[in-house]
Amino acid sequence: MSDRFRWGTAVLALVTVALAALWALPFAWTLLTSLKPESETTEVPLRWLPSEFTVEAYRSVLSTPDIWIWLLNSVFTAGTVTVLVVLLASTAAYGFSRTDFRGRRALLAFVVAGVLVPAEVLIVPLFDEMVFLGLVDTPWGVILPQVVLPAMVYILKVFFDGVPRELEEAAIVDGASRWRIYWRIVLPLSRPVLAAVAIFTFITTWNNFLWPFIVTADPATMTLPVGLATVQGSYGVRYAEVMATVVIAGLPLLLLFVLFQRQIVRGIAHTGLAGR
């Protein structure tokens, strides 16, 4: 039994190393290419290391006048979407988990079905709606369509189902209202899954390119991925600058993961336990 366990551990370790290499190699290539002189990015045969390291590509990208505006727009958009998703999704999930009303199952099935709908299918009706509301080329035109995330409602609903009802019953006996129970008891007990939902939502919103690209045309309202794409489009294909923009756009997410990796792992673990 111990030999099988050792062999299994060794195989898992090899698989982990292989998967880590599959992720690390492209990232290393991106970083090294961004530090090459532009003339060396298209050399044949390709070389991993440049003849000399240079940050000229980063200087060129960071000298774009609007890049700091795009960065602030991305921070504001991703942060606002994250806060709204956590509040609205947790409220809806708690309602589905703890209240019984007519049509509850049908409505929950409708919400879960929303997970199966590709976001691209909704682009045209969402854009028409933003035009009708006068929100095209505005921050809220970028934010509001991204607030509706049925998957997060379902994840939180499954977690809330695992929270002991006895705690709430005791609070009701003490005279606590439903809202007070939700705010003072359920949410504090749900911090791990709420942290995971918040982090995943922030990452998804930060990386979202399609919807901000469609709903914004003014550089003052663009997010970072859209703004950097327009810069590359105006200068043509300059591979060192392309890789530099990728590194710049990815650094906040890498920092976020390094700072909150424990919360991410705990949130996934708690969600999985609640769903068993």
Side-chain angles (χ1 to χ4, degrees):
M1 183 67 180
S2 60
D3 291 338
R4 289 183 179 180
F5 180 77
R6 290 174 183 174
W7 277 106
T9 303
V11 171
L12 287 176
L14 289 174
V15 172
T16 303
V17 171
L19 292 175
L22 287 175
W23 179 86
L25 287 176
F27 179 77
W29 176 261
T30 300
L31 181 60
L32 291 173
T33 303
S34 70
L35 296 172
K36 290 181 179 180
E38 190 63 45
S39 60
E40 295 184 13
T41 60
T42 55
E43 285 185 347
V44 178
L46 296 175
R47 295 186 304 173
W48 274 84
L49 295 177
S51 59
E52 61 173 340
F53 288 94
T54 176
V55 293
E56 187 58 35
Y58 290 93
R59 288 199 190 100
S60 178
V61 173
L62 293 175
S63 64
T64 304
D66 294 326
I67 191 169
W68 302 108
I69 296 176
W70 299 335
L71 180 61
L72 291 175
N73 288 343
S74 287
V75 171
F76 175 74
T77 299
T80 304
V81 170
T82 300
V83 171
L84 292 177
V85 166
V86 169
L87 289 176
L88 297 178
S90 63
T91 305
Y94 183 69
F96 282 123
S97 177
R98 288 298 191 266
T99 60
D100 190 13
F101 54 89
R102 188 174 182 180
R104 171 179 168 275
R105 290 189 177 183
L107 185 58
L108 179 60
F110 182 77
V111 171
V112 174
V115 179
L116 306 177
V117 179
E120 294 76 9
V121 175
L122 303 176
I123 290 296
V124 173
L126 281 176
F127 185 78
D128 289 340
E129 184 177 358
M130 294 302 106
V131 171
F132 177 78
L133 296 174
L135 295 178
V136 174
D137 253 345
T138 66
W140 290 107
V142 179
I143 291 170
L144 291 179
Q146 300 186 76
V147 170
V148 181
L149 291 178
M152 299 307 174
V153 176
Y154 180 73
I155 289 172
L156 290 170
K157 190 264 181 189
V158 171
F159 183 89
F160 291 157
D161 287 343
V163 176
R165 294 177 180 266
E166 291 79 7
L167 296 175
E168 299 177 49
E169 293 172 355
I172 291 174
V173 171
D174 291 338
S177 64
R178 180 64 69 180
W179 173 257
R180 189 179 183 86
I181 292 171
Y182 159 78
W183 191 256
R184 294 295 183 88
I185 297 177
V186 176
L187 287 188
L189 291 174
S190 307
R191 285 177 182 171
V193 69
L194 291 175
V197 167
I199 292 169
F200 291 147
T201 301
F202 187 92
I203 292 174
T204 302
T205 307
W206 182 276
N207 288 330
N208 193 355
F209 172 81
L210 181 59
W211 175 248
F213 175 74
I214 289 174
V215 81
T216 60
D218 184 357
T221 59
M222 290 178 178
T223 56
L224 189 61
V226 178
L228 293 177
T230 61
V231 171
Q232 293 306 320
S234 61
Y235 285 101
V237 181
R238 298 177 60 87
Y239 293 101
E241 292 185 15
V242 170
M243 297 306 177
T245 61
V246 172
V247 173
I248 291 171
L251 278 178
L253 300 183
L254 183 62
L255 180 62
L256 184 71
F257 179 79
V258 170
L259 293 177
F260 298 103
Q261 55 181 320
R262 291 185 178 180
Q263 286 83 350
I264 294 175
V265 174
R266 287 179 59 195
I268 295 174
H270 280 260
T271 304
L273 289 172
R276 290 182 182 177

